[in-house]
mmCIF file of all heavy atoms in Angstrom:
data_model
loop_
_atom_site.group_PDB
_atom_site.id
_atom_site.type_symbol
_atom_site.label_atom_id
_atom_site.label_comp_id
_atom_site.label_asym_id
_atom_site.label_seq_id
_atom_site.Cartn_x
_atom_site.Cartn_y
_atom_site.Cartn_z
ATOM 1 N N PRO A 1382 -51.459 4.974 -26.233
ATOM 2 C CA PRO A 1382 -51.193 6.490 -25.906
ATOM 3 C C PRO A 1382 -52.474 7.178 -25.378
ATOM 4 O O PRO A 1382 -52.373 8.018 -24.483
ATOM 5 C CB PRO A 1382 -50.803 7.074 -27.202
ATOM 6 C CG PRO A 1382 -50.186 5.902 -28.023
ATOM 7 C CD PRO A 1382 -51.120 4.653 -27.631
ATOM 8 N N VAL A 1383 -53.575 6.944 -26.103
ATOM 9 C CA VAL A 1383 -54.835 7.587 -25.662
ATOM 10 C C VAL A 1383 -55.175 7.230 -24.170
ATOM 11 O O VAL A 1383 -55.490 8.085 -23.403
ATOM 12 C CB VAL A 1383 -56.017 7.204 -26.540
ATOM 13 C CG1 VAL A 1383 -57.337 7.814 -26.000
ATOM 14 C CG2 VAL A 1383 -55.770 7.694 -27.952
ATOM 15 N N ALA A 1384 -55.040 5.866 -23.803
ATOM 16 C CA ALA A 1384 -55.305 5.519 -22.519
ATOM 17 C C ALA A 1384 -54.362 6.172 -21.490
ATOM 18 O O ALA A 1384 -54.734 6.505 -20.373
ATOM 19 C CB ALA A 1384 -55.228 3.924 -22.390
ATOM 20 N N VAL A 1385 -53.069 6.205 -21.850
ATOM 21 C CA VAL A 1385 -52.034 6.820 -20.961
ATOM 22 C C VAL A 1385 -52.330 8.270 -20.709
ATOM 23 O O VAL A 1385 -52.312 8.792 -19.595
ATOM 24 C CB VAL A 1385 -50.642 6.525 -21.504
ATOM 25 C CG1 VAL A 1385 -49.610 7.292 -20.791
ATOM 26 C CG2 VAL A 1385 -50.304 4.993 -21.528
ATOM 27 N N ILE A 1386 -52.528 9.017 -21.878
ATOM 28 C CA ILE A 1386 -52.849 10.457 -21.706
ATOM 29 C C ILE A 1386 -54.121 10.677 -20.846
ATOM 30 O O ILE A 1386 -54.137 11.612 -20.045
ATOM 31 C CB ILE A 1386 -52.920 11.020 -23.138
ATOM 32 C CG1 ILE A 1386 -51.632 10.910 -23.807
ATOM 33 C CG2 ILE A 1386 -53.458 12.459 -23.080
ATOM 34 C CD1 ILE A 1386 -51.701 11.335 -25.275
ATOM 35 N N LEU A 1387 -55.130 9.838 -21.158
ATOM 36 C CA LEU A 1387 -56.419 10.004 -20.362
ATOM 37 C C LEU A 1387 -56.121 9.823 -18.897
ATOM 38 O O LEU A 1387 -56.751 10.504 -18.066
ATOM 39 C CB LEU A 1387 -57.498 9.057 -20.903
ATOM 40 C CG LEU A 1387 -58.875 9.187 -20.413
ATOM 41 C CD1 LEU A 1387 -59.407 10.639 -20.707
ATOM 42 C CD2 LEU A 1387 -59.775 8.164 -20.950
ATOM 43 N N LEU A 1388 -55.395 8.792 -18.445
ATOM 44 C CA LEU A 1388 -55.144 8.567 -17.066
ATOM 45 C C LEU A 1388 -54.387 9.696 -16.414
ATOM 46 O O LEU A 1388 -54.735 10.086 -15.364
ATOM 47 C CB LEU A 1388 -54.340 7.178 -16.968
ATOM 48 C CG LEU A 1388 -54.991 5.928 -17.229
ATOM 49 C CD1 LEU A 1388 -54.025 4.762 -17.138
ATOM 50 C CD2 LEU A 1388 -56.178 5.712 -16.174
ATOM 51 N N ALA A 1389 -53.452 10.246 -17.177
ATOM 52 C CA ALA A 1389 -52.712 11.364 -16.654
ATOM 53 C C ALA A 1389 -53.563 12.668 -16.602
ATOM 54 O O ALA A 1389 -53.436 13.474 -15.673
ATOM 55 C CB ALA A 1389 -51.397 11.599 -17.429
ATOM 56 N N LYS A 1390 -54.320 12.821 -17.665
ATOM 57 C CA LYS A 1390 -55.098 14.123 -17.768
ATOM 58 C C LYS A 1390 -56.184 14.161 -16.745
ATOM 59 O O LYS A 1390 -56.444 15.209 -16.196
ATOM 60 C CB LYS A 1390 -55.820 14.093 -19.172
ATOM 61 C CG LYS A 1390 -56.574 15.363 -19.438
ATOM 62 C CD LYS A 1390 -55.600 16.519 -19.652
ATOM 63 C CE LYS A 1390 -56.502 17.698 -20.138
ATOM 64 N NZ LYS A 1390 -55.658 18.939 -20.296
ATOM 65 N N THR A 1391 -56.808 13.109 -16.417
ATOM 66 C CA THR A 1391 -57.923 13.043 -15.377
ATOM 67 C C THR A 1391 -57.256 13.034 -13.941
ATOM 68 O O THR A 1391 -58.077 13.078 -12.979
ATOM 69 C CB THR A 1391 -58.730 11.799 -15.511
ATOM 70 O OG1 THR A 1391 -58.014 10.626 -15.523
ATOM 71 C CG2 THR A 1391 -59.529 11.953 -16.809
ATOM 72 N N GLY A 1392 -55.925 12.858 -13.832
ATOM 73 C CA GLY A 1392 -55.310 12.888 -12.491
ATOM 74 C C GLY A 1392 -55.446 11.563 -11.746
ATOM 75 O O GLY A 1392 -55.063 11.487 -10.534
ATOM 76 N N VAL A 1393 -55.824 10.448 -12.433
ATOM 77 C CA VAL A 1393 -56.000 9.244 -11.857
ATOM 78 C C VAL A 1393 -54.550 8.591 -11.511
ATOM 79 O O VAL A 1393 -54.338 8.049 -10.419
ATOM 80 C CB VAL A 1393 -56.725 8.209 -12.708
ATOM 81 C CG1 VAL A 1393 -56.724 6.808 -12.152
ATOM 82 C CG2 VAL A 1393 -58.151 8.657 -12.933
ATOM 83 N N VAL A 1394 -53.657 8.807 -12.445
ATOM 84 C CA VAL A 1394 -52.241 8.362 -12.179
ATOM 85 C C VAL A 1394 -51.311 9.543 -12.578
ATOM 86 O O VAL A 1394 -51.526 10.144 -13.576
ATOM 87 C CB VAL A 1394 -51.987 7.124 -13.027
ATOM 88 C CG1 VAL A 1394 -50.507 6.621 -12.781
ATOM 89 C CG2 VAL A 1394 -52.975 5.996 -12.746
ATOM 90 N N SER A 1395 -50.264 9.698 -11.832
ATOM 91 C CA SER A 1395 -49.269 10.732 -12.113
ATOM 92 C C SER A 1395 -48.344 10.204 -13.194
ATOM 93 O O SER A 1395 -48.209 8.988 -13.390
ATOM 94 C CB SER A 1395 -48.449 11.152 -10.890
ATOM 95 O OG SER A 1395 -47.670 10.066 -10.472
ATOM 96 N N VAL A 1396 -47.728 11.190 -13.926
ATOM 97 C CA VAL A 1396 -46.662 10.737 -14.929
ATOM 98 C C VAL A 1396 -45.575 10.046 -14.305
ATOM 99 O O VAL A 1396 -45.088 9.080 -14.864
ATOM 100 C CB VAL A 1396 -46.195 12.032 -15.673
ATOM 101 C CG1 VAL A 1396 -45.176 11.665 -16.657
ATOM 102 C CG2 VAL A 1396 -47.400 12.715 -16.334
ATOM 103 N N ASP A 1397 -45.226 10.344 -13.066
ATOM 104 C CA ASP A 1397 -44.057 9.721 -12.445
ATOM 105 C C ASP A 1397 -44.425 8.257 -12.222
ATOM 106 O O ASP A 1397 -43.597 7.276 -12.301
ATOM 107 C CB ASP A 1397 -43.717 10.293 -11.108
ATOM 108 C CG ASP A 1397 -43.021 11.666 -11.344
ATOM 109 O OD1 ASP A 1397 -42.434 11.928 -12.491
ATOM 110 O OD2 ASP A 1397 -43.059 12.480 -10.312
ATOM 111 N N LYS A 1398 -45.653 7.978 -11.859
ATOM 112 C CA LYS A 1398 -46.115 6.548 -11.612
ATOM 113 C C LYS A 1398 -46.194 5.799 -12.883
ATOM 114 O O LYS A 1398 -45.985 4.569 -12.936
ATOM 115 C CB LYS A 1398 -47.452 6.506 -10.923
ATOM 116 C CG LYS A 1398 -47.297 6.938 -9.380
ATOM 117 C CD LYS A 1398 -48.577 6.670 -8.601
ATOM 118 C CE LYS A 1398 -48.434 6.986 -7.237
ATOM 119 N NZ LYS A 1398 -49.744 6.742 -6.408
ATOM 120 N N LEU A 1399 -46.557 6.473 -13.924
ATOM 121 C CA LEU A 1399 -46.559 5.815 -15.296
ATOM 122 C C LEU A 1399 -45.151 5.396 -15.687
ATOM 123 O O LEU A 1399 -45.026 4.375 -16.209
ATOM 124 C CB LEU A 1399 -47.181 6.859 -16.343
ATOM 125 C CG LEU A 1399 -48.703 7.044 -16.278
ATOM 126 C CD1 LEU A 1399 -49.118 8.178 -17.136
ATOM 127 C CD2 LEU A 1399 -49.518 5.766 -16.440
ATOM 128 N N VAL A 1400 -44.274 6.308 -15.425
ATOM 129 C CA VAL A 1400 -42.773 6.014 -15.681
ATOM 130 C C VAL A 1400 -42.377 4.804 -14.892
ATOM 131 O O VAL A 1400 -41.693 3.893 -15.347
ATOM 132 C CB VAL A 1400 -41.967 7.156 -15.515
ATOM 133 C CG1 VAL A 1400 -40.479 6.787 -15.656
ATOM 134 C CG2 VAL A 1400 -42.298 8.338 -16.523
ATOM 135 N N ALA A 1401 -42.740 4.771 -13.620
ATOM 136 C CA ALA A 1401 -42.315 3.723 -12.639
ATOM 137 C C ALA A 1401 -42.966 2.475 -13.099
ATOM 138 O O ALA A 1401 -42.328 1.302 -12.811
ATOM 139 C CB ALA A 1401 -42.721 4.047 -11.275
ATOM 140 N N ALA A 1402 -44.122 2.426 -13.721
ATOM 141 C CA ALA A 1402 -44.783 1.272 -14.147
ATOM 142 C C ALA A 1402 -44.263 0.650 -15.401
ATOM 143 O O ALA A 1402 -44.710 -0.443 -15.846
ATOM 144 C CB ALA A 1402 -46.277 1.464 -14.333
ATOM 145 N N ARG A 1403 -43.240 1.221 -16.010
ATOM 146 C CA ARG A 1403 -42.703 0.799 -17.373
ATOM 147 C C ARG A 1403 -42.280 -0.683 -17.364
ATOM 148 O O ARG A 1403 -42.636 -1.448 -18.306
ATOM 149 C CB ARG A 1403 -41.532 1.700 -17.777
ATOM 150 C CG ARG A 1403 -40.973 1.341 -19.200
ATOM 151 C CD ARG A 1403 -39.740 2.171 -19.456
ATOM 152 N NE ARG A 1403 -40.070 3.585 -19.620
ATOM 153 C CZ ARG A 1403 -39.503 4.547 -18.835
ATOM 154 N NH1 ARG A 1403 -38.639 4.254 -17.943
ATOM 155 N NH2 ARG A 1403 -39.827 5.826 -19.032
ATOM 156 N N PRO A 1404 -41.509 -1.100 -16.328
ATOM 157 C CA PRO A 1404 -41.155 -2.598 -16.349
ATOM 158 C C PRO A 1404 -42.367 -3.516 -16.400
ATOM 159 O O PRO A 1404 -42.285 -4.573 -17.138
ATOM 160 C CB PRO A 1404 -40.351 -2.672 -15.137
ATOM 161 C CG PRO A 1404 -39.840 -1.408 -14.745
ATOM 162 C CD PRO A 1404 -40.921 -0.429 -15.153
ATOM 163 N N TYR A 1405 -43.388 -3.171 -15.565
ATOM 164 C CA TYR A 1405 -44.491 -4.126 -15.547
ATOM 165 C C TYR A 1405 -45.323 -4.034 -16.941
ATOM 166 O O TYR A 1405 -45.875 -5.048 -17.375
ATOM 167 C CB TYR A 1405 -45.512 -3.595 -14.412
ATOM 168 C CG TYR A 1405 -44.841 -3.599 -13.113
ATOM 169 C CD1 TYR A 1405 -44.387 -2.418 -12.509
ATOM 170 C CD2 TYR A 1405 -44.733 -4.764 -12.407
ATOM 171 C CE1 TYR A 1405 -43.739 -2.393 -11.279
ATOM 172 C CE2 TYR A 1405 -43.991 -4.781 -11.230
ATOM 173 C CZ TYR A 1405 -43.585 -3.595 -10.639
ATOM 174 O OH TYR A 1405 -42.929 -3.640 -9.423
ATOM 175 N N VAL A 1406 -45.313 -2.765 -17.531
ATOM 176 C CA VAL A 1406 -45.881 -2.651 -18.915
ATOM 177 C C VAL A 1406 -45.187 -3.437 -19.953
ATOM 178 O O VAL A 1406 -45.848 -4.144 -20.777
ATOM 179 C CB VAL A 1406 -46.082 -1.238 -19.361
ATOM 180 C CG1 VAL A 1406 -46.443 -1.125 -20.712
ATOM 181 C CG2 VAL A 1406 -46.910 -0.379 -18.374
ATOM 182 N N ILE A 1407 -43.926 -3.576 -19.937
ATOM 183 C CA ILE A 1407 -43.162 -4.297 -20.902
ATOM 184 C C ILE A 1407 -43.411 -5.825 -20.725
ATOM 185 O O ILE A 1407 -43.704 -6.586 -21.707
ATOM 186 C CB ILE A 1407 -41.671 -4.072 -20.658
ATOM 187 C CG1 ILE A 1407 -41.302 -2.538 -21.056
ATOM 188 C CG2 ILE A 1407 -40.842 -5.004 -21.546
ATOM 189 C CD1 ILE A 1407 -39.891 -2.161 -20.801
ATOM 190 N N VAL A 1408 -43.452 -6.219 -19.532
ATOM 191 C CA VAL A 1408 -43.770 -7.750 -19.243
ATOM 192 C C VAL A 1408 -45.255 -8.056 -19.690
ATOM 193 O O VAL A 1408 -45.487 -8.945 -20.369
ATOM 194 C CB VAL A 1408 -43.561 -8.013 -17.788
ATOM 195 C CG1 VAL A 1408 -44.146 -9.489 -17.399
ATOM 196 C CG2 VAL A 1408 -42.104 -7.846 -17.411
ATOM 197 N N GLY A 1409 -46.126 -7.175 -19.332
ATOM 198 C CA GLY A 1409 -47.533 -7.281 -19.719
ATOM 199 C C GLY A 1409 -47.707 -7.334 -21.154
ATOM 200 O O GLY A 1409 -48.500 -8.120 -21.742
ATOM 201 N N ALA A 1410 -46.907 -6.411 -21.920
ATOM 202 C CA ALA A 1410 -47.138 -6.373 -23.361
ATOM 203 C C ALA A 1410 -46.652 -7.699 -23.997
ATOM 204 O O ALA A 1410 -47.292 -8.163 -24.926
ATOM 205 C CB ALA A 1410 -46.244 -5.266 -23.977
ATOM 206 N N PHE A 1411 -45.567 -8.253 -23.516
ATOM 207 C CA PHE A 1411 -45.234 -9.502 -24.057
ATOM 208 C C PHE A 1411 -46.110 -10.781 -23.683
ATOM 209 O O PHE A 1411 -46.273 -11.706 -24.471
ATOM 210 C CB PHE A 1411 -43.721 -9.902 -23.686
ATOM 211 C CG PHE A 1411 -42.646 -9.154 -24.412
ATOM 212 C CD1 PHE A 1411 -42.166 -7.857 -24.085
ATOM 213 C CD2 PHE A 1411 -42.218 -9.718 -25.597
ATOM 214 C CE1 PHE A 1411 -41.270 -7.254 -24.816
ATOM 215 C CE2 PHE A 1411 -41.242 -9.047 -26.371
ATOM 216 C CZ PHE A 1411 -40.739 -7.745 -25.977
ATOM 217 N N VAL A 1412 -46.615 -10.668 -22.539
ATOM 218 C CA VAL A 1412 -47.595 -11.699 -22.082
ATOM 219 C C VAL A 1412 -48.887 -11.581 -22.985
ATOM 220 O O VAL A 1412 -49.359 -12.664 -23.479
ATOM 221 C CB VAL A 1412 -48.007 -11.484 -20.601
ATOM 222 C CG1 VAL A 1412 -49.137 -12.403 -20.279
ATOM 223 C CG2 VAL A 1412 -46.765 -11.873 -19.711
ATOM 224 N N ILE A 1413 -49.366 -10.431 -23.147
ATOM 225 C CA ILE A 1413 -50.560 -10.197 -24.033
ATOM 226 C C ILE A 1413 -50.277 -10.617 -25.462
ATOM 227 O O ILE A 1413 -51.143 -11.294 -26.091
ATOM 228 C CB ILE A 1413 -50.953 -8.750 -24.011
ATOM 229 C CG1 ILE A 1413 -51.550 -8.386 -22.586
ATOM 230 C CG2 ILE A 1413 -52.104 -8.444 -24.998
ATOM 231 C CD1 ILE A 1413 -51.793 -6.914 -22.417
ATOM 232 N N ALA A 1414 -49.098 -10.348 -25.954
ATOM 233 C CA ALA A 1414 -48.732 -10.716 -27.305
ATOM 234 C C ALA A 1414 -48.675 -12.210 -27.452
ATOM 235 O O ALA A 1414 -49.019 -12.761 -28.479
ATOM 236 C CB ALA A 1414 -47.366 -10.045 -27.709
#
């Protein structure tokens, strides 16, 4: 959550793009696990 908020707060990534990246995050989470 800190990384996500920091990315959005600094304007590096918009919230809409964070939402669009959800499927890739889910796949990445299971790969990392």
Side-chain angles (χ1 to χ4, degrees):
V1383 175
V1385 172
I1386 294 171
L1387 188 61
L1388 288 173
K1390 183 71 174 178
T1391 55
V1393 175
V1394 181
S1395 68
V1396 176
D1397 288 340
K1398 287 189 176 182
L1399 290 172
V1400 173
R1403 184 186 293 122
Y1405 303 100
V1406 172
I1407 294 175
V1408 174
F1411 279 91
V1412 171
I1413 293 173

